[in-house]
Amino acid sequence: MELYEVGGAVRDALLGRAVHDRDWVAVGATPQQLVDAGYLPVGRDFPVFLHPQTREEVALARTERKTAPGYHGFAFHAAPEVTLEDDLARRDLTINAIARGVDGRLIDPHGGQRDIAARVLRHVSPAFAEDPVRVLRLARFAARLPDFTVAPETMTLMQGMVVAGEVDALVAERVWQELARGLMEALPSRMFEVLRASGALARLLPEVERLWGVPQRADYHPEIDTGVHLMMVLDMSARLAAPLAVRFACLGHDLGKGTTPADVLPRHLGHEARSVALLRALGERLRVPLDCRELAEVVAREHGNLHRSAEFGAAALLRLLERCDAIRKPRRFEQVLLACECDARGRLGFEDSAYTPAPRLCSALAAAQSVATADIAAQAMARGQRGPAVGAIIQRARIAALAKALGLPAECDEPED
């Protein structure tokens, strides 16, 4: 039996990036030999084991054969006669098809080192087209390695996969898994650029695809194009190290602009409600985690009001906080504001601007939270007041607290929120 380090660990070491997980291939071994040596079997579809000391994954060298459409349509063959070269030939990209022996020697039959030097993402073989997940994986690698380009022949291959309907067979969970990983990469916009160029974005996320070419008012959006704006917002979320829920909220905040009637462009009246409806459908279709969905809906519905909240008086601010459920969920409200900051700064010429509504909104929330609602409710109930009457007293107390904290009149004519 011979062990070889393979995959991402070898690639990242050659790129000078930090290596976190190491994977190994065992050549010339049987499952029983590994079990006898103390390895713990964990593979479900093919033989994978955990090393008895390091707990790193060790897979038997294997080949695979396409048996049906989609992600699961494969038959695997793992046996002692399968060579390292056989195993490397089934991998997706040349930069992921490099192995390192225990003596440090690199085995690179497909030119992965050459493509690392040239900064190119290239498929290993035509077998790339057999697995539609590879379209998503390559797009994700483009977001992780933004200085890499996609080889023209690889893009042509992916376009053919889309035309053949391969990406339509992807299961929702796997699409979300790769999408979530890509959103968390260094430059998320690259993932969407590659998916658009291949045609896969229109199949997987048509709500996002239709944003390109949709104009916005230049006085608010100097970049004009809604799709361009969305990419700037996503890249700003990466720049600000936003968590996944915030990045998903950024992805969905303007979906409704893709359905604005042409005769009212470049205005987008009512796009917030349309965005929420589209987000709900998208979230259901891809089985997006609930925390991501809920945050995204709040941001889609309220980001315009949060942006112009400097116009609001105390009562309108309190209503806005309540619609965001900020008093009950202040940590989530911090994420709402972060998504709004990404939106505001994801515009041409505004990348380094401060998001001025945030401090005022945080002060308003702190003032609302400072009201001793339990004491007020107890006093009101002692006077025989119940239900809505108690709620109204608490509302007035919170409005007064906001007005005092922000230097506003407690009652005034206010813009609609």
Side-chain angles (χ1 to χ4, degrees):
M1 181 178 72
E2 293 180 297
L3 287 178
Y4 296 90
E5 188 179 6
V6 292
V10 179
R11 176 200 67 230
D12 287 345
L14 292 172
L15 285 167
R17 296 166 66 95
V19 174
H20 301 290
D21 299 309
R22 298 180 186 276
D23 295 314
W24 302 80
V25 161
V27 178
T30 66
Q32 190 58 52
Q33 284 176 306
L34 287 174
V35 170
D36 292 343
Y39 288 76
L40 177 67
V42 294
R44 183 179 64 179
D45 297 322
F46 44 81
V48 179
F49 303 80
L50 297 182
H51 189 283
Q53 278 81 47
T54 66
R55 314 307 284 179
E56 292 172 340
E57 286 194 0
V58 178
L60 288 185
R62 66 186 187 272
T63 59
E64 58 189 37
R65 179 172 54 88
K66 184 78 167 175
T67 58
Y71 166 57
H72 292 294
F74 290 91
F76 299 96
H77 173 66
E81 66 268 18
V82 177
T83 67
L84 175 65
E85 287 72 18
D86 292 334
D87 185 274
L88 294 176
R90 67 171 180 79
R91 295 178 182 267
D92 53 0
L93 302 175
T94 61
I95 65 172
N96 296 330
I98 308 170
R100 188 193 303 275
V102 292
D103 59 358
R105 181 174 61 95
L106 291 173
I107 300 91
D108 181 16
H110 303 288
Q113 295 175 88
R114 173 202 62 211
D115 285 340
I116 286 175
R119 293 301 195 255
V120 173
L121 298 172
R122 189 190 315 275
H123 65 286
V124 169
S125 76
F128 180 98
E130 296 177 351
D131 186 355
V133 172
R134 289 177 169 177
V135 174
L136 285 164
R137 276 176 52 82
L138 187 147
R140 174 164 61 85
F141 275 113
R144 178 182 296 183
L145 305 170
D147 58 336
F148 277 60
T149 60
V150 180
E153 62 270 26
T154 302
M155 180 58 72
T156 299
L157 188 63
M158 292 195 298
Q159 291 168 342
M161 294 168 68
V162 173
V163 171
E166 279 287 331
V167 298
D168 299 331
L170 286 168
V171 297
E173 292 86 353
R174 196 59 199 272
V175 174
W176 168 249
Q177 183 183 58
E178 294 297 329
L179 178 64
R181 288 176 177 175
L183 286 172
M184 294 305 295
E185 297 291 4
L187 201 68
S189 63
R190 287 280 289 133
M191 174 174 65
F192 292 93
E193 289 169 8
V194 170
L195 290 176
R196 278 193 77 216
S198 70
L201 189 64
R203 299 290 186 92
L204 299 173
L205 293 169
E207 307 92 339
V208 177
E209 165 71 25
R210 67 170 67 105
L211 295 177
W212 274 269
V214 176
Q216 303 171 100
R217 288 176 54 182
D219 49 341
Y220 289 114
H221 287 278
E223 69 283 353
I224 298 176
D225 190 288
T226 306
V228 173
H229 166 61
L230 175 59
M231 295 301 99
M232 295 179 71
V233 174
L234 287 177
D235 288 344
M236 182 57 65
S237 74
R239 175 178 168 182
L240 298 181
L244 176 61
V246 171
R247 299 192 193 199
F248 179 69
C250 289
L251 177 66
H253 79 286
D254 268 350
L255 292 182
K257 290 182 177 179
T259 61
T260 300
D263 61 338
V264 300
L265 293 173
R267 303 183 73 194
H268 292 277
L269 296 175
H271 80 277
E272 296 89 352
R274 299 195 301 275
S275 296
V276 170
L278 289 166
L279 264 171
R280 286 177 179 165
L282 186 155
E284 289 290 335
R285 187 174 76 243
L286 297 187
R287 301 180 187 177
V288 176
L290 187 60
D291 65 322
C292 292
R293 292 195 221 181
E294 290 180 343
L295 180 69
E297 288 188 18
V298 172
V299 172
R301 187 182 67 243
E302 300 295 347
H303 66 277
N305 288 323
L306 290 160
H307 289 335
R308 62 188 185 95
S309 59
E311 305 168 10
F312 294 178
L317 281 172
L318 181 59
R319 291 194 296 271
L320 177 58
L321 293 175
E322 289 173 339
R323 290 197 304 274
C324 293
D325 206 5
I327 298 171
R328 280 199 325 125
K329 299 179 179 179
R331 293 295 177 86
R332 193 183 72 175
F333 188 62
E334 291 175 7
Q335 295 188 332
V336 169
L337 291 180
L338 180 56
C340 288
E341 179 177 357
C342 295
D343 180 32
R345 294 175 62 181
R347 297 180 294 160
L348 191 62
F350 290 86
E351 296 87 348
D352 296 314
S353 300
Y355 185 56
T356 54
R360 186 171 186 262
L361 288 163
C362 289
S363 296
L365 176 58
Q369 290 175 315
S370 71
V371 174
T373 56
D375 293 344
I376 292 173
Q379 293 168 9
M381 292 174 69
R383 294 193 299 266
Q385 294 169 304
R386 296 290 187 273
V390 177
I393 294 170
I394 291 174
Q395 286 290 90
R396 288 196 294 271
R398 283 175 169 164
I399 291 171
L402 264 69
K404 181 178 179 181
L406 301 178
L408 298 169
E411 295 182 6
C412 62
D413 293 331
E414 298 169 340
E416 281 297 316
D417 48 326

